[in-house]
Amino acid sequence: MELIIDAIKEIAHRIDEAIKMEDLGYSDSSNSSGEDQLKLDVQSDLIIERVFAKVSSVKNLVSEEKEGVHHLHDDGRFTVCYDPLDGSSLVDVNLSVGSIFGIYEGELKAENLVASAYVVYGPRIEMVMATREGKPTLYCTRRNHFETVGEITMNEKGKLCAPGGTQKHWAPHHKAFIDGLFNDGYRLRYSGGMVPDLHQILLKGGGLFSYPGTTDKPDGKLRQLFEVIPFALMYEQAGGQAINDKGMRLMELVPSHPHDTSPCFFGSNSEIEALKNAYGV
Ligand code: AHG
Ligand code: MN
Ligand code: MN
């Protein structure tokens, strides 16, 4: 696992460099979810593939930007599922973006996630890593090196609300719940990049990030293996909760296809309990 973490640190520096140096335009291809790929999406994917090719404990890679499984090492133990550049459409307006990694052992389902990590490319590079034991660890870069900052613990209740999805397609009970939070004094924090949005809620103690099922996207938008499940581990280990619209822990998801999505809610305990009430689950 140590070597995988070192690989993610190397990847973080390389992708950060690519973001700063490379062409921001579109490639002429689209990914498995039918989204147009930026040249940076494709390049970040390639950076990750090349770095993990040197890590013998990695058996397979599954990328948001590729269909199917990319095989690396016969004797490897882990499959790394990743979103190379999350929020990539925000690069051209110079907002923060990220990379997300889920490290699975065995069949690709939440129960088999052994660790997860994400990187935030903002004014500086930060990384958060979680395993099944203990609190997530925050690392910041100083003079191009990652330094451990400490453990992340969420409060019982927060003040921030990041409501995803197109509002005109929200269900009435979801709209009523989010309106209720704002009426209670919650502050809107939504950049459109799940990495910085979830990172902000984690580091500022709590609140709620939601990406519900909507009339246009009944299963939400965020992908289980590379986006939803890795962050579910982070939130649970930090003392918060992560559930779907049926009240099921996201850490119990079993995707039937690598690119399956799920409605998802991440937050501190108080907001998730209130959400369960509002959804009647
Ligand atoms: P990606 O750039 O990897 O396709 O993912 C973007 C995701 C996520 O970061 C964000 O929370 C969500 O898409 C935003 O979606 P909306 O545009 O529907 O707000
Ligand atoms: Mn993404
Ligand atoms: Mn992406």
Side-chain angles (χ1 to χ4, degrees), residues 29-62:
S29 50
S30 58
N31 68 16
S32 305
S33 304
E35 299 158 340
D36 290 334
Q37 288 173 311
L38 289 170
K39 289 180 190 161
L40 263 181
D41 286 319
V42 178
Q43 205 182 341
S44 304
D45 187 37
L46 206 67
I47 289 172
I48 293 175
E49 198 182 297
R50 286 192 183 138
V51 173
F52 280 128
K54 299 182 292 188
V55 184
S56 59
S57 60
V58 179
K59 189 185 185 83
N60 291 317
L61 295 176
V62 177

Side-chain angles (χ1 to χ4, degrees), residues 98-166:
S99 302
I100 313 168
F101 304 86
I103 300 145
Y104 298 82
E105 189 169 5
E107 211 184 309
L108 296 178
K109 53 182 178 177
E111 198 186 303
N112 290 341
L113 183 76
V114 292
S116 66
Y118 66 84
V119 178
V120 191
Y121 309 99
R124 60 184 174 189
I125 313 175
E126 297 195 351
M127 179 174 108
V128 178
M129 149 95 193
T131 63
R132 293 276 179 166
E133 273 149 43
K135 303 280 181 196
T137 308
L138 171 67
Y139 304 84
C140 287
T141 41
R142 230 190 259 166
R143 290 181 204 90
N144 270 338
H145 285 288
F146 278 100
E147 292 180 6
T148 308
V149 178
E151 292 180 343
I152 302 174
T153 305
M154 296 183 79
N155 299 334
E156 274 301 295
K157 186 176 182 339
K159 295 181 183 145
L160 306 181
C161 178
T166 309

Side-chain angles (χ1 to χ4, degrees), residues 35 64-65 83 85-88 100 194-195 221-223 226-227:
E35 299 158 340
E64 180 190 83
E65 301 302 339
D83 179 353
L85 203 56
D86 179 77
S88 54
I100 313 168
M194 73 179 298
V195 175
K221 175 184 183 189
L222 300 177
R223 284 144 286 221
F226 347 99
E227 296 178 319

Side-chain angles (χ1 to χ4, degrees), residues 76-97:
R77 257 174 79 188
F78 304 109
T79 297
V80 182
C81 298
Y82 61 94
D83 179 353
L85 203 56
D86 179 77
S88 54
S89 67
L90 300 173
V91 172
D92 63 351
V93 288
N94 207 17
L95 286 177
S96 294
V97 292

Side-chain angles (χ1 to χ4, degrees), residues 16-29:
D16 187 63
E17 206 172 83
I19 293 169
K20 292 186 168 113
M21 309 297 282
E22 301 294 333
D23 184 345
L24 303 182
Y26 281 96
S27 69
D28 44 19
S29 50

